[in-house]
Amino acid sequence: MDGSKLRALRRRAGLSQQELADAVYVSRELVSKWETGARSPNRETLDRLAAVLGAEAQALGGDDVFAELDACMPDGTLSAERLTALLDGFLATLGVRDRCVFIRRYYFAEDAPVIGAHYGLGDNHVRTILARTRRKLKKYLEANA
């Protein structure tokens, strides 16, 4: 997520970090981390931010993360419960590092540099791990959906 966009939208809405934090049920410190790029909101929070700020989630820079996962989803409709069970099963097949990288990207919406810094990996290494994991996820979902 682009923290500078969030900061600009927050200021344009006339909100302090604390007021925005209260509106989306997080701490002011977390809003600060989003604005500096140290953290990124998950999808649910990104949607709440967009609603509070009168913007599209895409304007905050979050859409690309979820577009990556859309390409893995099988044709047809899965219930939320079934998809949750499948994702839990898939994550159990991954090693600890790859599972953590996947979760940091697709739950916390962190960018490759942030993830890489946490695990001592370069950006390209993180992107490679994510690309391989998405291919595995697509195969897993096709086989089990």
Side-chain angles (χ1 to χ4, degrees):
M1 182 179 90
D2 185 343
S4 61
K5 287 181 186 177
L6 175 61
R7 184 180 312 108
L9 288 168
R10 176 182 58 78
R11 288 179 176 165
R12 189 172 2 160
L15 298 172
S16 68
Q17 287 183 340
Q18 185 62 58
E19 290 168 329
L20 180 59
D22 292 343
V24 296
Y25 314 110
V26 298
S27 69
R28 187 212 51 82
E29 292 79 9
L30 187 54
V31 171
S32 177
K33 288 179 182 181
W34 293 337
E35 290 185 357
T36 62
R39 295 277 307 269
S40 293
N42 63 32
R43 179 61 185 200
E44 180 182 326
T45 306
L46 187 63
D47 289 342
R48 284 196 311 258
L49 282 168
V52 167
L53 297 171
E56 297 291 325
Q58 170 181 353
L60 295 171
D63 252 9
D64 57 323
V65 172
F66 304 102
E68 292 173 14
L69 281 182
D70 283 344
C72 301
M73 295 299 131
D75 293 335
T77 304
L78 290 173
S79 69
E81 294 81 14
R82 180 69 180 137
L83 182 57
T84 298
L86 288 168
L87 285 172
D88 285 346
F90 171 72
L91 290 171
T93 70
L94 298 176
V96 172
R97 184 199 63 190
D98 291 357
R99 182 173 50 243
C100 291
V101 166
F102 183 90
I103 290 169
R104 291 181 80 94
R105 176 67 177 154
Y106 300 114
Y107 183 78
F108 294 107
E110 293 179 346
D111 293 328
V114 174
I115 297 168
H118 186 76
Y119 293 102
L121 303 171
D123 299 0
N124 287 337
H125 193 171
V126 171
R127 288 185 188 94
T128 299
I129 290 168
L130 291 168
R132 289 178 181 160
T133 304
R134 285 192 309 271
R135 281 194 298 272
K136 290 176 186 176
L137 174 61
K138 184 173 176 75
K139 285 183 182 180
Y140 184 90
L141 292 174
E142 287 171 350
N144 295 289

